[in-house]
Amino acid sequence: MSTMNRRHWLKTSALFTGSLPFLTGTLNGVAAVSATTIKHASPGQLTDAEFARRIPVEIKARLFANENPFGPSDKAKQAIIDSLANSYQYPFMHLTDLEDKITSYEGVGKDMILLSAGSSPLLMATAIYCCKDGGNVVTGDPTYDDLPKSAEKIGAQWVKVPLTAEYKLDLDAMEKAVNANTKLVYVCNPNNPTATAVDTEKLKAFCERVSKKVTVFVDEAYIDYLPDPQASTMVGCVKNGQNVIVARTFSKLYGFAGLRVGYVMAQPDMLEKISMFTKDQYAISAPALYAAIASYQDKPFLAEALKKTLASKDFLYKTLKEEGYEYIPSVTNFAMFPLKMEGTRFVDEMMKRGVALRNWMVNGKDWCRISIGRMDEMEIFAAAFKELS
């Protein structure tokens, strides 16, 4: 066993069990707060978890957290049940099983992968390692803010680069924004909240050039929603020895948002450094680990979940068009469209009708980000939306 793998096995991934960490998906019983609180809480500035705590009514359509409402798979559910009998054990060896599946599929060495309970702890660890001595992080704007916010909290500067006219990451402008103080470039592709993706070959060239100057972190949380994830990933940059970190999560198409499994791939020395800022408390639980092993690359399930997502998305597009609204074409399980009223008021009014959504301010205009739900949830959204549009 390699030094990296022993350290990974014994330190970073000392798995703890004793509870089943998945959520029921319902927000019934969440403590109520006034609608005024939501109005002035700037929902676009909150995390999904923070937003959830401010929901004041029973939710009929949960369309704010970019979850897969069709998962996890039946194989994953059965694996969770089967795992309970031995949940008193530390499942060290099963961590290796999951590593074997991922590294075999991706074509990387075992010393080039680091697992965690979701990708969030790894985003935070990367931010801490790269920015512990200050500097800046370059990102698109808007984008997923978990990593850059962590960097800001330890004293780094967040350099925000506006998107292109097509609401995609402006890679040319991001490259120009890199300077001597830049410690990390964060690329969320597909991007959240805009649901857009950049050209694959352009991103590969960007990674090759920029990674010679500074670490490039490519967050591929939503890559499984693309037509050909293997052709779109930046894992090839890692395999080519570039200073690139690629993050993945089971939280989206796999339906593991509440189960918590994620990982990053990078050069072994980089993973050694990142692992210094992870803790055992973030370890993957036994049920989640068994479920991930059972469902990894379950092609029939992934294809069916994607099919249902696309059907719900088509329904959303039709609803928006019928009501005279434009939208940004989405390559993910959520979409954005510009609003005709103030954003927080729209969120508040939809919330009163049992529909939870998010709003953003982009280029001085109010936008809604809506997660793609089950068809029954999309129909509830449509009925409520038509009352306001």
Side-chain angles (χ1 to χ4, degrees), residues 203-218:
L203 180 54
K204 286 181 180 178
F206 172 90
C207 288
E208 183 176 5
R209 290 192 309 272
V210 177
S211 66
K212 294 176 182 178
K213 306 174 185 177
V214 64
T215 302
V216 178
F217 192 112
V218 184

Side-chain angles (χ1 to χ4, degrees), residues 170-172 198-207 209:
D170 191 335
L171 296 179
D172 292 335
V198 296
D199 177 78
T200 299
E201 293 307 313
K202 186 169 184 178
L203 180 54
K204 286 181 180 178
F206 172 90
C207 288
R209 290 192 309 272

Side-chain angles (χ1 to χ4, degrees), residues 33 48 50-51 64 76 89 102 107 132 136 163 169 188 227 231 238-240 255 269 315 321 330 338 342 346 352 366:
V33 295
D48 289 329
E50 290 168 339
F51 181 75
F64 70 88
Q89 299 174 347
I102 295 172
K132 61 185 182 298
N136 67 61
L163 306 180
L169 297 174
C188 184
V238 177
K239 291 193 282 188
N240 290 337
D269 60 336
F315 178 85
K321 288 178 181 178
S330 165
E342 193 268 330
F346 176 78
K352 292 176 181 177
D366 288 293

Side-chain angles (χ1 to χ4, degrees), residues 25-28 30 38 43-44 46-67 69 316 333-335 337 339 343-360 367-374 376-385 388:
T26 177
L27 288 174
N28 296 350
V30 174
I38 290 180
L46 302 174
T47 66
D48 289 329
E50 290 168 339
F51 181 75
R53 288 193 289 270
R54 288 161 169 76
I55 294 177
V57 294
E58 180 179 343
I59 296 304
K60 301 175 183 177
R62 181 184 169 105
L63 306 176
F64 70 88
N66 296 350
E67 299 151 338
L316 169 66
N333 65 330
F334 58 93
F337 61 92
L339 294 170
T344 50
R345 181 189 166 209
F346 176 78
V347 168
D348 183 38
E349 290 298 325
M350 291 296 285
M351 196 82 72
K352 292 176 181 177
R353 293 162 174 79
V355 181
L357 304 163
R358 299 295 304 275
N359 71 285
W360 259 260
W367 291 72
C368 172
R369 188 198 74 182
I370 175 173
S371 303
I372 307 301
R374 302 183 310 271
D376 63 296
E377 292 178 299
M378 303 312 293
E379 290 171 348
I380 292 170
F381 159 78
F385 183 64
L388 300 177

